[in-house]
Structure formats: structure tokens, C-alpha cells
Amino acid sequence: MQKYRTEQIRNVVLLSHSNAGKTSLCENMLFQAKAISRLGRVDDGTTTSDYEPEETKRKISINLSLLPFEWNNTKVNLIDSPGYPDFVGEVKASLRAADGAVVIVSAASGVEVGTELVWKYADDGELPRIVFVNKIDRENADFFKTVEQLSAMFGRKCVPIQLPIGAESKFEGVVDLLSKAAKTPQSLADKIASFREKLVESVAETDDNLITKYLEGTELTEDEVRGALRSATIKGKLVPILAGSALQSKGIVELIESILHYLPSPRDTGKTTAQNPQTQQDEEIEPDESAPLAALVFKTTADPYVGKLTYLRVYSGSINSDSSVWNATKKRAERIGQLYMIRGKSQEATPQITAGDIGAVAKLAETGTSDTLCSKDHPLVLAPIEFPLPTLSVSVQPKTKADLDKLGSSLARLTEEDPTLAVRKDMDTAETVLSGMGEAQFEVAAEKMKRKFGVEVKIETPKIPYRETITVATKSEYKHKKQTGGHGQYGHVMFELEPLPRGSGTEFSSKVVGGSVPKNYIPAVEKGVNEGFKEGGLAGYPLTDIRVKLYDGSYHAVDSSEISFKIAASYALKKGVSQGQPVLLEPIMNVHITIPDNFTGDVMSDLNNKRARVMGMSPGGGVNHIDAQVPLAEMLKYATDLRAITQGRGTYTMEYSHYEQVPAHIAQKIIAESKKETEKA
Ligand code: GDP
């Protein structure tokens, strides 16, 4: 690939609801640009973008793919992003690497939930965009209805710059509304005239000079309108709408030309802010080759054969093969070996990646996603990518001992690849807990672990870390005595047990006076109690919020030993706890839910069924925020539930709040369940 200057580059992310045709469209653009010689198909699993087995099997994109091609002295770095909500982390990373977006809408399905979501993401990232209404060849395709939906949903700034000629099986191609040279079929003449008028008026309204001319009745030239449309699109004031069919290769060349013409180069995007960690000051960095280096890592892949691959977007300066750079985020030096331009799974060596361009480097030791690479004498840190926090958790169980040995390291590699996955060991339940965005993401993670690292795991619902406690104060006593033949055993303790307020944990103390239990045996008593705290009598969960006081006992000069006192202590505790009217406690979570207003009723009635306590609500601007406290046991599949209730429009966060008593009828079930488990074991 030849070298391109910053203004000759377009970094473009393709966004849509799942299935609108992103991958097919990428494939077709690559084919038109002769970057590939054979047109692959999603349905045959042969596209350049979806090459991983987990993707071809499901016929969906899971990872973002880089798909550069050259067109008319410009390099277009297409970024194909997944549409499935579990892989939103890849979408966020793609958005960050891009300067502009193509939002794809299926003419048969119209604006869908996923369209709304990606639109919002693009708004958040202030990305200029164009819309491509795909699948005009499909049965029930309706371009005009889709345009109406787009305007209704996203405002009048969405304006068609083309019209399709025919539709469904009679779809012939597209006609450009601005080009006077375009051949227009007579049957469409009126529609074309009226849409052209609307387009010219919308464009004129964005430009003070043009609007004056327009209102004076002077006809605007094609170049004037195109120029102003370009500025307005880059500023986000207008969103041009195009039409076509990825499968029938119609409207594709026009889409490529529009990407070149209407979407910004990194030079148009302009300056980015980075922090200089030496001065603690923000600096404006230019998309300029001669400026100091600042490159953001937006993706990391781990492959057992190829090794680690780090994807970079260079914001300023340039990065060279065989050089040293400084990772200002981690404060570590990194050695850059060979740089690559990536296309799907293939790599092309390159000596340099310059300001505005995207590429990759293999085998970096320290660097992870969101880190900034720069030069040591001018350190810069770019804002990290904001990934959503994981909301759903599962327990990961290795199938064999060999799998267990490699579990930790392979999970660590997976979380490095996917920043929306997090792994932790739950000390209470002794499980390895994987948290993420959804069930499909966990399934894919398990498949990847098997394929890449040879580790087989089962994915299960995580255990709830229940606790047990007592509700009334009580006294208990136990004498451990074996004095038949040989060396005997003797330990005798008397305890006061008392419930403590929630969150106090466990306590042990001694108020023995006069040496009824000699001082040297008290640590053994404490040990017995502490061990007893680990397993309550109801369902075997740890005890909490309880104080045990040793207040009396007795000993035997010859037969008493530490072990005898420890045994006595553990029995006395068990006895005391069973007298203290024990109950089960469960973790309660603080949950913050954000939903479009019209789902409030459904979300609230679902929360009701989940034993939730609603703490507050703040509706406004069509959105409602609900704060509630809900038992963790009810929230294990909430990511899936909320997605179903709100058709994917709702989001939530959740954190631990406190423990509360489990209602009796539910506690009975948990206790019965645990009895069954113990009998099985
Ligand atoms: P993505 O999920 O957005 O990447 O969409 P894909 O490119 O995977 O396409 C989803 C499905 O729609 C596949 O079966 C494609 O063959 C089909 N498809 C894509 N573009 C078109 C199109 O223009 N016309 C028709 N009829 N089908 C299409």
C-alpha cells in the first residue's frame, strides 16, 4: 500500500442493528476497490470481516475488523463493528478509532432498536455520519418509509441525497439528487424534483451565504451545494441518506464516493486533547506527522500462534517499525518491532503508521487496550476508551484438572482482549466468577478458551454468598470428655451468644476470671469458634453478625489439651447457634436502571416480582432512572430480562449494598436444596 497523507485518510465505522448488512457492505466495498479479488458472502462464511470460527458459526460479527482499501488516492480504513448487544465493547472501541460513521438501516426492517442505540453512541462520540439504507432489493423494502422513520427518530437533519430506482425485485440502482448529469427515469421525475428541492433547502439553511442566495431565488451550483453539504455533515448538522443493496452490488460505488466526499479526514476532525503527565496540563495535539507521537491502543487480540496483536490509532506524529516508544499510561518503555496494516485476518508489513492512520504491532509486552504510546521526552496520555461496566456474572468451572491449571492464565488473556469482561475469585463461594454483558458473550468466551488455549469450561449460574446469623441472645455449654483408658481428653466451655447489627461480622472474646479456663487454652477455644463460624447449621453458609463470649468452663490438670478445648468450643457454638433462632441472610444490591419512559410500567412490575424495594425515580426527557434495592438472587439474569422487557433499550448498573434476612418461605427452599446437596456428596 502506498503512503497516504493525513488528509487522504478516512477512518469509518459501520454501525447498525444486527443483520442490517454491515459485513456484506464491507465485503462489497473491498471488492469494488479491488482490495479482494473474490466477493465473499456472510451466508457462506467467506467474508473478509468475519473470519473467526465463533463468527462464521453464528453468522454474526463478534470482533471489530479493520478493512482498509484504496480509492481515488484515498485510503479508507473501514471498521466493521458487531451489532449484537453483548459485544458493545467492540463497538465502543470502533467508535473511538473512527472519524466518521456509516449507519446502515435495512429498508425491509426500518429503524430498529439497535439503530437507536448506535445512533446514541455516535452522538456521544460526536461522530459525523451518513446513513445507507440497504436491502432495497428485499421483499417489503421501503426506502421512503425508512426515510420518514429516520427523520421522525433523529430529526430533520437526515436528508436523502439519492433515490432508489424501483425496489424489491425491480430495484435497478440509485439516482444522485445533486448531479445534473444523472440519468433520471421519467416515472421518478416528480419525486426527484421535490426531494432535490428539499435537499438544497436543507443544505442552504446550514450556510449563511447560501441561504441568502437561495432566498433571493438564485440557483445554487452543484459544487456549492456539495461543498456546503460536506461542511454540514462534518459538523453534524446534516446526515445524508443513501440507498442500495450490498448483495446486488448496487449503490456501493456511490457509497464509497460519499465516504470520501462527505465524511471527514483526520485533518478535518482536527485537534485532540491529551494530558501531559509531566506538567499535568492538557495539550491540544495536531493530526500532523511532525507533531509529537500520540497513539491510542483501541484493541488487543491474543492468539496462541500469532501472539499478541495491538491495534493503534495514531492521533499525532508517526510511529516507526523497529523503534522505541513510551507507554505513558503504564509508564513503561516498549519496543516496537514490525508494524502492520491489517485487513481482516491478513497483515501487511509497513515501515510506518502516520498521523490519522490505523494499524497494528505484534508482541508488545506491557501495553493494553486504552493505553497511549508516545515518545519518552514528550509524554502524552489520551483519554481512555469508556467501556460499559459488566452487569451479568457466571461461574466458570474447569472440566478437568488440566483445565483448572490453565484457567487463570487463559481467562486473563480473554479479559485483555475484551475489556467488558472481568474475572474474579469469589472468596465466599470459592468460584471463579466471570462478569460481562450477556450470555452470548460468555458462550463465545468459552468457545474461544477451548479453541485458543485448549481449556474446556462449564458456564454456570454463580452461587449466592448467603450468610447465617442468630436472632436472639442465648447461652450454651459443652463439655468434651473422654477419660476411659490411657491419656484422656477434657475441655469444657460456656458461651454467651448475641446477635450483632448487620454488617458487624463475627466477634469472639473471653471474660473468664479465676482461670476456670486457663489462659493458655483460650486461643484454642477461639480457633474452634472461628472454624465454627465458617459453616452455619441451617444450610452450611458462613455465620456473621454474631458475638461469642467465653464466660466460664472447667479444665482437668492432666487430660485437658488444646484440641479438647477446640472441639468443645466448636460443639458449644453449634449448640448455641441452633438455640439462637438462626436465619439466612442474603446480599441486597443497589441497582440503578435507565430506561425509555414508556417501559416504566413493565420494568416496575418485573421489579415487584423480584422482591425489589424502589428507592426513587427521576423521569425526564423521555428517560426514566430507577433506583432500587434488590436481592442478588433475583438479579442473576437481569441483563437478559431487562433486554427482553425493553427490547434492548434499557441499561443498568449494580453494586453490593448490605445483607438482609431471607424471607422464611424462600429460606426453606434454600435449606432444603442444601440438604439435598449434602446428601448427594
Ligand atoms: P451485519 O450483521 O450487519 O453484518 O449483516 P450481514 O452483512 O451479516 O447481513 C445479514 C444478512 O443479510 C445476511 O444473510 C446477508 O446475506 C443479508 N444481506 C445483506 N445485505 C443484503 C442486501 O442488500 N440484500 C439482501 N436481500 N440481503 C442482504
mmCIF file of all heavy atoms in Angstrom, residues 409 484 583 601 642:
data_model
loop_
_atom_site.group_PDB
_atom_site.id
_atom_site.type_symbol
_atom_site.label_atom_id
_atom_site.label_comp_id
_atom_site.label_asym_id
_atom_site.label_seq_id
_atom_site.Cartn_x
_atom_site.Cartn_y
_atom_site.Cartn_z
ATOM 1 N N SER A 409 -4.728 -18.263 33.557
ATOM 2 C CA SER A 409 -3.976 -17.559 32.517
ATOM 3 C C SER A 409 -4.836 -17.341 31.276
ATOM 4 O O SER A 409 -4.766 -16.287 30.644
ATOM 5 C CB SER A 409 -2.703 -18.318 32.168
ATOM 6 O OG SER A 409 -3.036 -19.595 31.659
ATOM 7 N N THR A 484 -11.626 -42.644 79.318
ATOM 8 C CA THR A 484 -11.532 -44.095 79.500
ATOM 9 C C THR A 484 -10.192 -44.568 78.963
ATOM 10 O O THR A 484 -9.904 -44.398 77.778
ATOM 11 C CB THR A 484 -12.667 -44.806 78.741
ATOM 12 O OG1 THR A 484 -12.729 -44.228 77.442
ATOM 13 C CG2 THR A 484 -13.998 -44.671 79.449
ATOM 14 N N VAL A 583 -31.226 -17.616 61.242
ATOM 15 C CA VAL A 583 -31.881 -17.253 59.971
ATOM 16 C C VAL A 583 -30.824 -17.142 58.876
ATOM 17 O O VAL A 583 -29.632 -17.031 59.159
ATOM 18 C CB VAL A 583 -32.625 -15.901 60.061
ATOM 19 C CG1 VAL A 583 -33.817 -15.994 60.981
ATOM 20 C CG2 VAL A 583 -31.655 -14.793 60.490
ATOM 21 N N GLY A 601 -43.696 1.083 33.372
ATOM 22 C CA GLY A 601 -44.684 0.168 33.954
ATOM 23 C C GLY A 601 -44.171 -1.265 33.953
ATOM 24 O O GLY A 601 -44.199 -1.950 34.987
ATOM 25 N N LEU A 642 -33.870 -7.512 31.416
ATOM 26 C CA LEU A 642 -34.093 -6.103 31.079
ATOM 27 C C LEU A 642 -34.049 -5.911 29.565
ATOM 28 O O LEU A 642 -34.811 -5.127 28.995
ATOM 29 C CB LEU A 642 -33.043 -5.215 31.758
ATOM 30 C CG LEU A 642 -33.272 -3.715 31.591
ATOM 31 C CD1 LEU A 642 -34.532 -3.256 32.302
ATOM 32 C CD2 LEU A 642 -32.079 -2.910 32.111
#
